[in-house]
Amino acid sequence: MAITGGCQCGAIRYELAAAPDRVSICHCRDCQLSAGAPMVVWAVMPAANLKITKGTPATINSSGDSFRRFCSQCGTGLFYVNETFLPGLVDVQSITLDDPSAFPPGAQVQTAEQPAWMAHIHALPAYPRYPGTE
């Protein structure tokens, strides 16, 4: 079974040569601001396991030695590289996988930076679709 993914508009597609080594939910402020969300789920693996099969992601230096790669057409965040702290590794935003449920997170990291309300998010009402549209 191929492990594939891509951006929202389809301009960028990629393949993974193997399952990720680790999948974690990151709550750091850099990820929050980059994604415009309270957390990002990352699948980390050797950079050699990632092959871009369509398009060329844009790159931005988001902070210090951190580089984020994204689709310049639709803005979807795709990859994170930091050779200082994660040499030879790449983080893939697991939600961009064609089957994001295939590799569930095994940990949460940088929880010191999560919004206080995240600690109780499991207690909020949950709806399968936006309320009133079902």
Side-chain angles (χ1 to χ4, degrees):
M1 172 172 105
I3 305 169
T4 58
C7 67
Q8 184 177 22
C9 74
I12 308 291
R13 296 289 302 158
Y14 65 84
E15 283 181 6
L16 306 181
D21 295 341
R22 178 177 67 253
V23 180
S24 302
I25 300 169
C26 185
H27 297 274
C28 82
R29 192 68 177 142
D30 193 43
C31 283
Q32 291 169 1
L33 292 173
S34 176
M39 60 190 162
V40 175
V41 182
W42 294 107
V44 67
M45 67 203 65
N49 286 359
L50 171 66
K51 178 183 176 188
I52 307 297
T53 58
K54 180 181 177 191
T56 303
T59 301
I60 186 168
N61 180 316
S62 62
S63 60
D65 296 330
S66 298
F67 293 87
R68 294 175 185 274
R69 298 177 74 191
F70 61 96
C71 175
S72 65
Q73 304 291 315
C74 66
T76 300
L78 296 163
F79 316 116
Y80 171 90
V81 175
N82 185 316
E83 286 298 327
T84 301
F85 295 104
L86 302 168
L89 300 176
V90 63
D91 271 317
V92 175
Q93 285 197 28
S94 69
I95 204 67
T96 67
L97 290 165
D98 292 338
D99 182 5
S101 296
F103 305 105
Q108 296 185 65
V109 298
Q110 302 293 96
T111 58
E113 297 177 48
Q114 72 184 15
W117 51 262
M118 282 295 298
H120 307 287
I121 199 154
H122 64 279
L124 294 176
Y127 304 92
R129 300 281 179 226
Y130 195 83
T133 64
E134 298 171 12

